[in-house]
Amino acid sequence: MAVVDLSGKVVVITGGARGLGAAAAQAVVDGGGRVLITDVLEAEGAETAAKLGDAARFLRHDVTSEADWQAALEYAVAEFGRLDGLVNNAGISTGQFLEHESVEHFRRVVEINLVGVFIGIKTAIPLLRANGGGSVVNISSAAGLTGLALTAGYGASKWGVRGLSKIGAVELAEAGIRVNSVHPGMTLTPMTAPVGIQAGEGNYPGAPLGRVGVPEEIAAAVVFLLSDAAGYVTGAELAVDGGWTAGLTVKYLTGQ
């Protein structure tokens, strides 16, 4: 996979212990950047950072906590001297039919997936502004581009991330801070593995490309948006979903 130039950049990635976050952290380091991985999964996060070497650090971080956010971003600056990018990747994906969804569960999903993103952006603004700008990449979902059954809290939170990203893009452009959202489709990660998806051609006929994604493909979109190559890109919503949100497949329509 092509390497995007992130030389000299320092990026914080939440939910970076495994899956999409770990792949994004690897891509940042491959591009010459340095990364602080944060997560509540301490053992896995520490292991991921160790594999990446001196260019990576790990810190336990609850994204719903303002104090944890402040500590995480201050730690990144203390370790690496600056902050250039933030990837709001931490999230949970569980749900059921709307009429059976509990208020307690709905609130928990929104608190992690949306409120956590809000706190992160808010906390990062002064540090990015001090650097003359930077890039915020918010991981939404294909479920944030269309209605998807069984995702009342998750889908609502990901639509919220999409909207919050556009608001941030408009408000922060004068500070040189770009804000974009990435919308992965079905991707093979530890979070999605329990539903039985499989990688490889033909294993996901609902998407025009006919397969599920892999974390590295999502990471490639993330590091592009973090890089100077995306210097004129802000307020965008980048679907990385094999065409799933583009429309129905020919196979679906014809039965062939």
Side-chain angles (χ1 to χ4, degrees), residues 113-152:
N113 290 6
L114 178 56
V115 178
V117 173
F118 162 74
I119 301 172
I121 298 173
K122 180 179 174 66
T123 309
I125 289 171
L127 295 173
L128 295 173
R129 194 191 299 274
N131 259 1
S135 174
V136 177
V137 181
N138 298 321
I139 306 301
S140 179
S141 168
L145 295 171
T146 188
L148 184 62
L150 299 170
T151 66

mmCIF file of all heavy atoms in Angstrom, residues 113-152:
data_model
loop_
_atom_site.group_PDB
_atom_site.id
_atom_site.type_symbol
_atom_site.label_atom_id
_atom_site.label_comp_id
_atom_site.label_asym_id
_atom_site.label_seq_id
_atom_site.Cartn_x
_atom_site.Cartn_y
_atom_site.Cartn_z
ATOM 1 N N ASN A 113 -19.774 7.419 21.309
ATOM 2 C CA ASN A 113 -19.559 7.625 19.878
ATOM 3 C C ASN A 113 -19.655 9.067 19.425
ATOM 4 O O ASN A 113 -19.036 9.439 18.424
ATOM 5 C CB ASN A 113 -20.561 6.798 19.079
ATOM 6 C CG ASN A 113 -20.315 5.313 19.158
ATOM 7 O OD1 ASN A 113 -19.455 4.860 19.902
ATOM 8 N ND2 ASN A 113 -21.077 4.543 18.402
ATOM 9 N N LEU A 114 -20.440 9.869 20.115
ATOM 10 C CA LEU A 114 -20.657 11.246 19.674
ATOM 11 C C LEU A 114 -20.141 12.275 20.675
ATOM 12 O O LEU A 114 -19.359 13.164 20.310
ATOM 13 C CB LEU A 114 -22.140 11.485 19.392
ATOM 14 C CG LEU A 114 -22.541 12.904 18.968
ATOM 15 C CD1 LEU A 114 -21.754 13.355 17.731
ATOM 16 C CD2 LEU A 114 -24.042 12.977 18.710
ATOM 17 N N VAL A 115 -20.550 12.148 21.932
ATOM 18 C CA VAL A 115 -20.089 13.119 22.921
ATOM 19 C C VAL A 115 -18.566 13.036 23.072
ATOM 20 O O VAL A 115 -17.886 14.063 23.209
ATOM 21 C CB VAL A 115 -20.796 12.904 24.277
ATOM 22 C CG1 VAL A 115 -20.276 13.896 25.315
ATOM 23 C CG2 VAL A 115 -22.302 13.056 24.116
ATOM 24 N N GLY A 116 -18.020 11.823 23.003
ATOM 25 C CA GLY A 116 -16.573 11.662 23.073
ATOM 26 C C GLY A 116 -15.856 12.391 21.952
ATOM 27 O O GLY A 116 -14.784 12.979 22.157
ATOM 28 N N VAL A 117 -16.430 12.365 20.763
ATOM 29 C CA VAL A 117 -15.849 13.079 19.623
ATOM 30 C C VAL A 117 -15.897 14.585 19.867
ATOM 31 O O VAL A 117 -14.932 15.314 19.610
ATOM 32 C CB VAL A 117 -16.587 12.710 18.325
ATOM 33 C CG1 VAL A 117 -16.112 13.573 17.154
ATOM 34 C CG2 VAL A 117 -16.375 11.229 18.004
ATOM 35 N N PHE A 118 -17.029 15.055 20.356
ATOM 36 C CA PHE A 118 -17.176 16.487 20.659
ATOM 37 C C PHE A 118 -16.127 16.955 21.661
ATOM 38 O O PHE A 118 -15.458 17.975 21.459
ATOM 39 C CB PHE A 118 -18.584 16.758 21.202
ATOM 40 C CG PHE A 118 -18.713 18.071 21.924
ATOM 41 C CD1 PHE A 118 -18.731 19.261 21.222
ATOM 42 C CD2 PHE A 118 -18.786 18.110 23.308
ATOM 43 C CE1 PHE A 118 -18.822 20.479 21.894
ATOM 44 C CE2 PHE A 118 -18.887 19.308 23.983
ATOM 45 C CZ PHE A 118 -18.903 20.503 23.271
ATOM 46 N N ILE A 119 -15.959 16.189 22.752
ATOM 47 C CA ILE A 119 -14.984 16.589 23.770
ATOM 48 C C ILE A 119 -13.575 16.598 23.171
ATOM 49 O O ILE A 119 -12.772 17.499 23.440
ATOM 50 C CB ILE A 119 -15.034 15.656 24.995
ATOM 51 C CG1 ILE A 119 -16.421 15.660 25.631
ATOM 52 C CG2 ILE A 119 -13.988 16.076 26.025
ATOM 53 C CD1 ILE A 119 -16.582 14.611 26.731
ATOM 54 N N GLY A 120 -13.292 15.602 22.345
ATOM 55 C CA GLY A 120 -11.969 15.516 21.739
ATOM 56 C C GLY A 120 -11.652 16.712 20.858
ATOM 57 O O GLY A 120 -10.568 17.307 20.961
ATOM 58 N N ILE A 121 -12.578 17.062 19.987
ATOM 59 C CA ILE A 121 -12.348 18.216 19.111
ATOM 60 C C ILE A 121 -12.171 19.477 19.947
ATOM 61 O O ILE A 121 -11.235 20.262 19.736
ATOM 62 C CB ILE A 121 -13.518 18.394 18.122
ATOM 63 C CG1 ILE A 121 -13.656 17.173 17.213
ATOM 64 C CG2 ILE A 121 -13.319 19.657 17.278
ATOM 65 C CD1 ILE A 121 -14.900 17.204 16.335
ATOM 66 N N LYS A 122 -13.067 19.679 20.882
ATOM 67 C CA LYS A 122 -13.029 20.882 21.727
ATOM 68 C C LYS A 122 -11.695 21.009 22.462
ATOM 69 O O LYS A 122 -11.109 22.088 22.533
ATOM 70 C CB LYS A 122 -14.189 20.830 22.726
ATOM 71 C CG LYS A 122 -14.284 22.023 23.671
ATOM 72 C CD LYS A 122 -15.489 21.867 24.587
ATOM 73 C CE LYS A 122 -15.521 22.983 25.633
ATOM 74 N NZ LYS A 122 -15.747 24.309 25.018
ATOM 75 N N THR A 123 -11.203 19.883 22.992
ATOM 76 C CA THR A 123 -9.964 19.900 23.751
ATOM 77 C C THR A 123 -8.749 20.115 22.858
ATOM 78 O O THR A 123 -7.767 20.743 23.267
ATOM 79 C CB THR A 123 -9.805 18.587 24.544
ATOM 80 O OG1 THR A 123 -10.996 18.328 25.296
ATOM 81 C CG2 THR A 123 -8.629 18.658 25.509
ATOM 82 N N ALA A 124 -8.824 19.611 21.623
ATOM 83 C CA ALA A 124 -7.681 19.700 20.709
ATOM 84 C C ALA A 124 -7.535 21.071 20.062
ATOM 85 O O ALA A 124 -6.432 21.440 19.625
ATOM 86 C CB ALA A 124 -7.806 18.635 19.616
ATOM 87 N N ILE A 125 -8.602 21.839 19.992
ATOM 88 C CA ILE A 125 -8.572 23.101 19.241
ATOM 89 C C ILE A 125 -7.428 24.021 19.665
ATOM 90 O O ILE A 125 -6.664 24.493 18.805
ATOM 91 C CB ILE A 125 -9.927 23.827 19.332
ATOM 92 C CG1 ILE A 125 -10.990 23.072 18.524
ATOM 93 C CG2 ILE A 125 -9.809 25.254 18.789
ATOM 94 C CD1 ILE A 125 -12.408 23.596 18.728
ATOM 95 N N PRO A 126 -7.244 24.311 20.946
ATOM 96 C CA PRO A 126 -6.160 25.240 21.307
ATOM 97 C C PRO A 126 -4.778 24.745 20.896
ATOM 98 O O PRO A 126 -3.930 25.540 20.464
ATOM 99 C CB PRO A 126 -6.274 25.343 22.836
ATOM 100 C CG PRO A 126 -7.668 24.939 23.150
ATOM 101 C CD PRO A 126 -8.021 23.904 22.130
ATOM 102 N N LEU A 127 -4.539 23.430 21.003
ATOM 103 C CA LEU A 127 -3.233 22.877 20.648
ATOM 104 C C LEU A 127 -3.008 22.925 19.135
ATOM 105 O O LEU A 127 -1.904 23.230 18.678
ATOM 106 C CB LEU A 127 -3.125 21.441 21.156
ATOM 107 C CG LEU A 127 -3.155 21.279 22.678
ATOM 108 C CD1 LEU A 127 -3.221 19.811 23.057
ATOM 109 C CD2 LEU A 127 -1.946 21.943 23.313
ATOM 110 N N LEU A 128 -4.042 22.616 18.368
ATOM 111 C CA LEU A 128 -3.917 22.686 16.914
ATOM 112 C C LEU A 128 -3.786 24.133 16.456
ATOM 113 O O LEU A 128 -2.995 24.451 15.559
ATOM 114 C CB LEU A 128 -5.129 22.021 16.257
ATOM 115 C CG LEU A 128 -5.281 20.512 16.484
ATOM 116 C CD1 LEU A 128 -6.605 20.012 15.921
ATOM 117 C CD2 LEU A 128 -4.114 19.749 15.858
ATOM 118 N N ARG A 129 -4.551 25.010 17.071
ATOM 119 C CA ARG A 129 -4.476 26.425 16.725
ATOM 120 C C ARG A 129 -3.070 26.980 16.986
ATOM 121 O O ARG A 129 -2.532 27.769 16.200
ATOM 122 C CB ARG A 129 -5.515 27.211 17.522
ATOM 123 C CG ARG A 129 -5.764 28.627 17.004
ATOM 124 C CD ARG A 129 -6.598 29.414 17.997
ATOM 125 N NE ARG A 129 -7.900 28.841 18.222
ATOM 126 C CZ ARG A 129 -8.968 29.088 17.463
ATOM 127 N NH1 ARG A 129 -8.858 29.882 16.423
ATOM 128 N NH2 ARG A 129 -10.138 28.534 17.768
ATOM 129 N N ALA A 130 -2.473 26.552 18.094
ATOM 130 C CA ALA A 130 -1.132 27.016 18.445
ATOM 131 C C ALA A 130 -0.095 26.591 17.420
ATOM 132 O O ALA A 130 0.951 27.242 17.267
ATOM 133 C CB ALA A 130 -0.748 26.487 19.825
ATOM 134 N N ASN A 131 -0.376 25.498 16.710
ATOM 135 C CA ASN A 131 0.543 24.999 15.685
ATOM 136 C C ASN A 131 0.281 25.628 14.326
ATOM 137 O O ASN A 131 0.925 25.278 13.338
ATOM 138 C CB ASN A 131 0.372 23.479 15.532
ATOM 139 C CG ASN A 131 1.467 22.724 16.251
ATOM 140 O OD1 ASN A 131 2.325 23.327 16.878
ATOM 141 N ND2 ASN A 131 1.434 21.415 16.164
ATOM 142 N N GLY A 132 -0.718 26.484 14.248
ATOM 143 C CA GLY A 132 -1.068 27.074 12.964
ATOM 144 C C GLY A 132 -2.046 26.250 12.171
ATOM 145 O O GLY A 132 -2.304 26.516 10.996
ATOM 146 N N GLY A 133 -2.621 25.225 12.812
ATOM 147 C CA GLY A 133 -3.614 24.389 12.134
ATOM 148 C C GLY A 133 -3.344 22.919 12.321
ATOM 149 O O GLY A 133 -2.448 22.518 13.070
ATOM 150 N N GLY A 134 -4.131 22.126 11.649
ATOM 151 C CA GLY A 134 -3.991 20.679 11.756
ATOM 152 C C GLY A 134 -5.190 19.991 11.141
ATOM 153 O O GLY A 134 -5.985 20.611 10.438
ATOM 154 N N SER A 135 -5.319 18.703 11.415
ATOM 155 C CA SER A 135 -6.374 17.903 10.805
ATOM 156 C C SER A 135 -7.063 17.037 11.839
ATOM 157 O O SER A 135 -6.398 16.349 12.628
ATOM 158 C CB SER A 135 -5.785 17.004 9.705
ATOM 159 O OG SER A 135 -6.761 16.123 9.181
ATOM 160 N N VAL A 136 -8.391 17.070 11.843
ATOM 161 C CA VAL A 136 -9.202 16.188 12.667
ATOM 162 C C VAL A 136 -9.948 15.243 11.741
ATOM 163 O O VAL A 136 -10.625 15.691 10.807
ATOM 164 C CB VAL A 136 -10.205 16.978 13.529
ATOM 165 C CG1 VAL A 136 -11.099 16.016 14.325
ATOM 166 C CG2 VAL A 136 -9.481 17.935 14.468
ATOM 167 N N VAL A 137 -9.807 13.957 11.984
ATOM 168 C CA VAL A 137 -10.512 12.945 11.190
ATOM 169 C C VAL A 137 -11.429 12.184 12.131
ATOM 170 O O VAL A 137 -10.966 11.535 13.078
ATOM 171 C CB VAL A 137 -9.535 11.973 10.504
ATOM 172 C CG1 VAL A 137 -10.316 10.951 9.672
ATOM 173 C CG2 VAL A 137 -8.546 12.733 9.629
ATOM 174 N N ASN A 138 -12.714 12.286 11.883
ATOM 175 C CA ASN A 138 -13.711 11.621 12.720
ATOM 176 C C ASN A 138 -14.222 10.374 12.021
ATOM 177 O O ASN A 138 -14.706 10.454 10.886
ATOM 178 C CB ASN A 138 -14.864 12.572 13.009
ATOM 179 C CG ASN A 138 -14.423 13.795 13.787
ATOM 180 O OD1 ASN A 138 -13.580 13.692 14.682
ATOM 181 N ND2 ASN A 138 -14.959 14.955 13.457
ATOM 182 N N ILE A 139 -14.126 9.244 12.692
ATOM 183 C CA ILE A 139 -14.596 7.993 12.095
ATOM 184 C C ILE A 139 -16.099 7.870 12.348
ATOM 185 O O ILE A 139 -16.534 7.637 13.472
ATOM 186 C CB ILE A 139 -13.857 6.773 12.660
ATOM 187 C CG1 ILE A 139 -12.347 6.958 12.505
ATOM 188 C CG2 ILE A 139 -14.329 5.501 11.945
ATOM 189 C CD1 ILE A 139 -11.863 7.161 11.080
ATOM 190 N N SER A 140 -16.863 8.046 11.295
ATOM 191 C CA SER A 140 -18.304 7.844 11.346
ATOM 192 C C SER A 140 -18.576 6.419 10.862
ATOM 193 O O SER A 140 -17.943 5.476 11.339
ATOM 194 C CB SER A 140 -19.020 8.902 10.498
ATOM 195 O OG SER A 140 -20.416 8.711 10.513
ATOM 196 N N SER A 141 -19.444 6.250 9.899
ATOM 197 C CA SER A 141 -19.808 4.921 9.424
ATOM 198 C C SER A 141 -20.684 5.073 8.187
ATOM 199 O O SER A 141 -21.295 6.131 7.973
ATOM 200 C CB SER A 141 -20.589 4.173 10.517
ATOM 201 O OG SER A 141 -21.194 2.994 10.020
ATOM 202 N N ALA A 142 -20.766 4.007 7.404
ATOM 203 C CA ALA A 142 -21.768 3.989 6.331
ATOM 204 C C ALA A 142 -23.154 4.153 6.932
ATOM 205 O O ALA A 142 -24.069 4.684 6.289
ATOM 206 C CB ALA A 142 -21.670 2.681 5.542
ATOM 207 N N ALA A 143 -23.325 3.737 8.196
ATOM 208 C CA ALA A 143 -24.597 3.917 8.897
ATOM 209 C C ALA A 143 -24.853 5.375 9.226
ATOM 210 O O ALA A 143 -25.943 5.725 9.677
ATOM 211 C CB ALA A 143 -24.610 3.083 10.181
ATOM 212 N N GLY A 144 -23.875 6.238 9.001
ATOM 213 C CA GLY A 144 -24.055 7.672 9.150
ATOM 214 C C GLY A 144 -24.381 8.350 7.838
ATOM 215 O O GLY A 144 -24.463 9.582 7.765
ATOM 216 N N LEU A 145 -24.579 7.553 6.794
ATOM 217 C CA LEU A 145 -24.943 8.081 5.480
ATOM 218 C C LEU A 145 -26.305 7.592 5.017
ATOM 219 O O LEU A 145 -26.860 8.110 4.047
ATOM 220 C CB LEU A 145 -23.890 7.671 4.434
ATOM 221 C CG LEU A 145 -22.493 8.254 4.617
ATOM 222 C CD1 LEU A 145 -21.510 7.584 3.648
ATOM 223 C CD2 LEU A 145 -22.499 9.770 4.396
ATOM 224 N N THR A 146 -26.826 6.575 5.699
ATOM 225 C CA THR A 146 -28.108 5.998 5.294
ATOM 226 C C THR A 146 -28.771 5.380 6.527
ATOM 227 O O THR A 146 -28.142 5.244 7.571
ATOM 228 C CB THR A 146 -27.899 4.932 4.202
ATOM 229 O OG1 THR A 146 -29.157 4.505 3.693
ATOM 230 C CG2 THR A 146 -27.134 3.725 4.740
ATOM 231 N N GLY A 147 -30.033 5.024 6.388
ATOM 232 C CA GLY A 147 -30.705 4.348 7.491
ATOM 233 C C GLY A 147 -30.344 2.879 7.512
ATOM 234 O O GLY A 147 -30.398 2.204 6.485
ATOM 235 N N LEU A 148 -29.967 2.368 8.670
ATOM 236 C CA LEU A 148 -29.573 0.969 8.795
ATOM 237 C C LEU A 148 -30.291 0.368 9.994
ATOM 238 O O LEU A 148 -30.161 0.852 11.116
ATOM 239 C CB LEU A 148 -28.052 0.864 8.987
ATOM 240 C CG LEU A 148 -27.465 -0.550 9.049
ATOM 241 C CD1 LEU A 148 -27.716 -1.301 7.746
ATOM 242 C CD2 LEU A 148 -25.969 -0.490 9.345
ATOM 243 N N ALA A 149 -31.061 -0.664 9.739
ATOM 244 C CA ALA A 149 -31.832 -1.293 10.811
ATOM 245 C C ALA A 149 -30.928 -1.824 11.911
ATOM 246 O O ALA A 149 -29.762 -2.144 11.688
ATOM 247 C CB ALA A 149 -32.676 -2.441 10.236
ATOM 248 N N LEU A 150 -31.473 -1.914 13.095
ATOM 249 C CA LEU A 150 -30.793 -2.474 14.267
ATOM 250 C C LEU A 150 -29.660 -1.590 14.785
ATOM 251 O O LEU A 150 -28.772 -2.070 15.486
ATOM 252 C CB LEU A 150 -30.249 -3.879 13.966
ATOM 253 C CG LEU A 150 -31.291 -4.936 13.578
ATOM 254 C CD1 LEU A 150 -30.618 -6.198 13.078
ATOM 255 C CD2 LEU A 150 -32.193 -5.244 14.756
ATOM 256 N N THR A 151 -29.683 -0.310 14.436
ATOM 257 C CA THR A 151 -28.585 0.561 14.868
ATOM 258 C C THR A 151 -29.102 1.881 15.442
ATOM 259 O O THR A 151 -28.536 2.941 15.177
ATOM 260 C CB THR A 151 -27.627 0.882 13.709
ATOM 261 O OG1 THR A 151 -28.322 1.684 12.724
ATOM 262 C CG2 THR A 151 -27.083 -0.361 13.060
ATOM 263 N N ALA A 152 -30.159 1.842 16.235
ATOM 264 C CA ALA A 152 -30.763 3.085 16.723
ATOM 265 C C ALA A 152 -29.725 4.021 17.339
ATOM 266 O O ALA A 152 -29.550 5.153 16.886
ATOM 267 C CB ALA A 152 -31.863 2.775 17.735
#
